[in-house]
Amino acid sequence: MPETAIKPFRSHIFVCVNQRDGKPACEDHGAKAALARAKEAMKALPFAKRDGVRLSQSGCLGQCEHGPVAVVYPSGKWISYASADELTRFVLEACEAEE
Ligand code: FES
């Protein structure tokens, strides 16, 4: 396989925004709105703080019974959040972390 010049992210946060027909899912708890709030808070940080940190919406992360959930790599830290503020704190902590 050829070597690529793709630079890895310092941290990559995935926020599940999945919906499932008739089954519990993260979007049942307002995951898209919480993600939008967290993105705005991240954008307000000085560039140096968020440089190398990627915040992505994702499909099902396989933790539906704990939803709404998010995970950050490479640390592998998960959160089952109760509010948009809690998700925002998780995202901002990931920006602060030295990975
Ligand atoms: S629907 Fe979010 S983890 Fe499955």
Side-chain angles (χ1 to χ4, degrees):
M1 183 179 287
E3 200 169 307
T4 70
I6 298 173
K7 184 180 171 194
F9 296 114
R10 177 164 59 92
S11 290
H12 198 161
I13 307 155
F14 295 92
V15 178
C16 175
V17 297
N18 195 43
Q19 279 189 303
R20 304 189 304 165
D21 285 339
K23 296 179 180 172
C26 293
E27 180 52 17
D28 297 345
H29 306 279
K32 286 180 184 169
L35 172 60
R37 283 265 304 277
K39 272 191 176 175
E40 286 304 312
M42 191 174 153
K43 279 188 203 168
L45 289 175
F47 180 74
K49 292 274 186 195
R50 55 188 161 86
D51 186 27
V53 179
R54 180 80 182 170
L55 177 58
S56 299
Q57 72 174 34
S58 82
C60 182
L61 293 169
Q63 301 290 340
C64 319
E65 68 276 11
H66 302 294
V69 296
V71 62
V72 58
Y73 292 109
S75 72
K77 182 178 176 188
W78 286 85
I79 185 173
S80 170
Y81 57 94
S83 67
D85 285 347
E86 197 175 352
L87 177 65
T88 297
R89 279 195 298 276
F90 180 78
V91 167
L92 297 181
E93 282 172 19
C95 293
E96 294 289 337
E98 299 292 327
E99 306 252 358

